[in-house]
Amino acid sequence: MFGFPRFVILWLALACAALSAPQAVAQIRVGVLAVQGESDATREFAPTIAHLNHALPGLDFVLVPLALDALSQAAATGAVDFLITNPGHYVALGSRLGVTRIATIERLDGADTSGRVGSTVITPARPGHPQGWPDLAGLRIAVTARDAFGGWQVALREMLDAAAPPRGPLVETGFPMTNVIEALRAGHADAGVLRACLLESLIASGLVAEGEFAVVAERDAGDLPCRLSSRLYPDWPFARLPAVDADLARQVAVALLTMPAAEGRRWAVPHDYGAVQELFRELRLGAFADMPHRRLVDYLRAHWHWFAGFALAVLWWAIHSARVEVLVRRRTAELTREMAERSRAEAEARQHREERDQYARLGILGEMASSIAHELNQPLGAITNYAEGLTRALDRGQPDPVFLRDGVRGIAGQADRAGAIIRRIRSFLRRREPQREALDLNEVARGPLSLFGAAAGRRGIALRFDPAPALPPVMGDRVEIEQVLLNLLQNALDASEDAPQGGEVRLSTAIDGDMVTMTLRDHGSGLSPQDATHIFDAFHTTKERGLGLGLPICRTIAESHGGQLWAEPQPDGLAMHFSLPAATAPKEAE
């Protein structure tokens, strides 16, 4: 484990390197927990750093492998910008420093990706070796550190849940974790705690002989190809410190999510670390250290010796009743926790969906900037002409009151027109809860069409609208439906820009059974068979600067309204269909 002088030297070296680097390239330091030493950590995460440097060429990402205490100090002093660490260390830093995860490691070996971090308790394979948690009572247990997550805290929780708290001494070996193996071989400890899958890795590399150690309290590992003594927790996160710019964090997150799989794993969207927080709550670690007892079982664990003495004087039926009561309370608490976790997950998913839609609307508005500017220039130009005409009339002397009144009214009318444009844009961008109401799709479509009219004319593209008569209303959120139309119109104009004779974009509405359908037809570049297959996949885009999020979000909006969004390639372009269920059946012709 790094000592304080070594950490200071490393921090100064990083500072000197940053000062000597060219000013055009900013250095971004990524601290990583070196469980098996610096060389192992560097080898394991070198592909990630290489991908970030390739994906973000204006930045210089540097990997900084550190031991647990040194990494905590680096995060507290700002010596690193991002962290790659175990889930327990992340939760501890999150409550203390406000660290936020942006991605999580996922393994590609077929196992459940929701949990990969756990503990394996081993003991020398001798006759009469410990079999379960109660057998460890009074024995010496080797751990890397008391605050090691997979190396101690996970196993400790299992011991407490099995009502077998450790009573023997803990032998802290420090990092790397192979020190635990050496302590067992030297006879300094009777059992040791390793992170899950490390035993198999050491056997494969020849550092441990097959059958040299036995696993204590072994449990079913499911699809995980490792021997296990505990439940599993989410894998290591990639997290940012609060001082890191939000735009930089978003760029890093996108780069990580688009990184190809390397060495059987990849970066995925951040997982839920509620299980880790629950472990900290039960063990009263980090932010939960001073939390009062909430359950009877916790109180029993803290004062077990008093109750043990009292239980000797109680009849068998009273002991049995108390045991049943504890089990009932534990099960009730587990059910309550599961319900709370589900509610929290649904709330987080809803918030992420709202933020994603907001970003999409901002992206659409950015692409429409020239059209909006043209729309505003018309009323502003008219106001200028009215004002100049009134000024000339006043300069001539004895102006006509009727002429002045008409001019002032013209100015007020054009100001109302400009205000209506601004109000429409603000309504589109305002973050709010979806509001379903009866809508006429012909009327809804005219707003987005008016915004794109000027842009289509400047590009030489004919923008047509064929509304179907007597459309039945649909139940929907106006802003979300406008978002779909704006996105589809922008894509159609971009695809038609290089079409011969300027091309044509036609929006039409129709009744199809109990559905109301809007079809946007362009005569642009169309779609290749490969793009047609992946058009609605996240991060797939045919635009040079596109993010590939617009159409996936539009499909989500359509499906949330009970409708559909699909593409139909044409010989000379593309047709996009957007259907919604009618609120009432269409009237039959008399």
Side-chain angles (χ1 to χ4, degrees):
M1 195 174 289
F2 290 98
F4 178 74
R6 186 175 182 182
F7 170 77
V8 173
I9 292 173
L10 177 61
W11 191 90
L12 292 175
L14 290 174
C16 292
L19 291 175
S20 62
Q23 293 299 320
V25 179
Q27 188 178 79
I28 307 299
R29 295 150 302 193
V30 181
V32 59
L33 179 60
V35 178
Q36 290 297 103
E38 296 182 19
S39 60
D40 187 78
T42 301
R43 177 193 58 78
E44 188 175 6
F45 293 100
T48 297
I49 299 302
H51 176 77
L52 290 176
N53 282 320
H54 176 74
L56 303 174
L59 303 173
D60 181 20
F61 289 85
V62 178
L63 192 67
V64 184
L66 297 169
L68 192 64
D69 291 341
L71 187 57
S72 298
Q73 294 179 22
T77 59
V80 294
D81 304 294
F82 293 92
L83 297 172
I84 304 175
T85 186
N86 68 48
H89 192 213
Y90 158 70
V91 169
L93 293 180
S95 61
R96 184 158 55 93
L97 302 178
V99 175
T100 305
R101 64 190 182 277
I102 62 175
T104 297
I105 293 176
E106 275 191 1
R107 314 282 173 164
L108 303 180
D109 54 7
D112 182 9
T113 58
S114 63
R116 289 303 305 252
V117 176
S119 293
T120 303
V121 180
I122 63 173
T123 185
R126 304 189 188 103
H129 65 75
Q131 299 288 335
W133 298 117
D135 299 334
L136 297 177
L139 299 183
R140 298 168 299 170
I141 302 177
V143 299
T144 52
R146 291 178 181 269
D147 54 353
F149 185 71
W152 174 235
Q153 293 171 347
V154 172
L156 176 60
R157 183 189 189 188
E158 301 297 334
M159 294 180 186
L160 295 179
D161 280 352
R167 298 188 179 92
L170 286 183
V171 180
E172 295 188 67
T173 65
F175 290 94
M177 195 167 282
T178 51
N179 291 346
V180 173
I181 300 292
E182 300 303 325
L184 292 175
R185 288 172 173 170
H188 298 156
D190 305 303
V193 183
L194 303 177
R195 63 180 176 89
C197 297
L198 179 58
L199 179 61
E200 286 73 12
S201 176
L202 295 176
I203 293 175
S205 61
L207 298 177
V208 172
E210 184 77 35
E212 181 180 358
F213 297 99
V215 176
V216 179
E218 186 171 0
R219 63 194 297 167
D220 181 17
D223 295 332
L224 188 68
C226 306
R227 303 181 69 182
L228 193 64
S229 299
S230 71
R231 69 197 81 181
L232 294 172
Y233 299 85
D235 217 323
W236 287 29
F238 193 111
R240 72 177 182 96
L241 271 70
V244 175
D245 181 74
D247 290 337
L248 173 60
R250 280 193 291 271
Q251 294 177 26
V252 172
V254 172
L256 290 174
L257 294 178
T258 56
M259 174 181 172
E263 297 183 359
R265 60 186 182 177
R266 66 187 176 192
W267 291 103
V269 294
H271 288 191
D272 181 14
Y273 286 79
V276 182
Q277 293 177 341
E278 182 60 25
L279 180 145
F280 272 53
R281 183 181 292 109
E282 288 194 9
L283 299 183
R284 287 175 176 74
L285 300 173
F288 304 102
D290 299 326
M291 185 185 70
H293 298 287
R294 297 182 307 161
R295 298 184 299 171
L296 177 59
V297 66
D298 295 329
Y299 190 79
L300 292 174
R301 287 172 181 166
H303 305 281
W304 63 269
H305 49 287
W306 296 104
F307 287 96
F310 176 76
L312 295 176
V314 180
L315 298 176
W316 176 87
W317 64 266
I319 299 176
H320 177 72
S321 299
R323 178 177 177 275
V324 171
E325 180 68 16
V326 170
L327 292 177
V328 170
R329 288 178 177 270
R330 179 180 298 176
R331 181 56 182 163
T332 301
E334 290 176 354
L335 292 175
T336 302
R337 182 168 61 251
E338 291 174 0
M339 295 175 61
E341 290 177 354
R342 178 179 299 179
S343 298
R344 182 174 63 254
E346 291 175 352
E348 290 179 355
R350 183 168 56 254
Q351 180 181 356
H352 293 165
R353 184 167 59 253
E354 293 174 356
E355 292 175 351
R356 180 197 62 187
D357 293 346
Q358 181 74 0
Y359 293 147
R361 288 195 290 269
L362 289 173
I364 295 172
L365 190 63
E367 296 179 357
M368 294 168 49
S370 60
S371 299
I372 295 172
H374 182 79
E375 285 288 312
L376 287 175
N377 277 335
Q378 291 183 357
L380 293 178
I383 290 173
T384 300
N385 293 335
Y386 276 123
E388 291 177 351
L390 293 176
T391 301
R392 287 194 296 269
L394 291 173
D395 290 342
R396 289 195 299 266
Q398 296 181 349
D400 183 4
V402 175
F403 176 79
L404 294 179
R405 185 181 300 107
D406 292 341
V408 172
R409 287 176 177 174
I411 291 174
Q414 293 300 321
D416 288 341
R417 178 183 174 187
I421 296 173
I422 295 174
R423 285 192 298 272
R424 188 163 66 244
I425 296 171
R426 290 182 62 188
S427 174
F428 178 69
L429 290 178
R430 185 181 299 115
R431 181 180 296 182
R432 69 202 196 349
E433 291 292 332
Q435 299 175 358
R436 300 291 176 89
E437 58 181 328
L439 299 174
D440 180 356
L441 288 188
N442 287 337
E443 187 271 332
V444 172
R446 289 187 173 88
L449 287 171
S450 66
L451 289 176
F452 277 99
R458 288 194 302 273
R459 300 184 186 185
I461 300 173
L463 188 59
R464 313 290 187 191
F465 181 40
D466 296 332
L471 275 184
V474 300
M475 294 301 298
D477 181 83
R478 176 182 289 271
V479 172
E480 290 186 344
I481 295 176
E482 287 182 347
Q483 179 179 350
V484 174
L485 292 177
L486 289 171
N487 196 294
L488 298 181
L489 283 168
Q490 184 66 57
N491 291 344
L493 292 182
D494 291 343
S496 302
E497 192 167 8
D498 298 329
Q501 292 84 37
E504 178 186 79
V505 174
R506 182 177 298 272
L507 176 64
S508 60
T509 57
I511 303 173
D512 185 8
D514 58 350
M515 304 293 287
V516 179
T517 303
M518 307 183 75
T519 300
L520 188 65
R521 173 77 163 87
D522 66 62
H523 299 272
S525 56
L527 287 176
S528 66
Q530 181 179 3
D531 289 333
T533 303
H534 301 285
I535 186 174
F536 293 106
D537 293 348
F539 302 112
H540 178 82
T541 179
T542 59
K543 298 182 181 179
E544 181 178 356
R545 298 183 178 179
L547 289 178
L549 293 176
L551 287 179
I553 292 175
C554 290
R555 170 173 275 189
T556 300
I557 292 174
E559 292 176 350
S560 69
H561 283 75
Q564 290 181 318
L565 176 66
W566 70 97
E568 183 181 356
Q570 303 292 326
D572 59 342
L574 180 69
M576 295 295 298
H577 303 281
F578 175 32
S579 67
L580 294 173
T584 57
K587 295 182 179 179
E588 298 181 355
E590 296 180 356

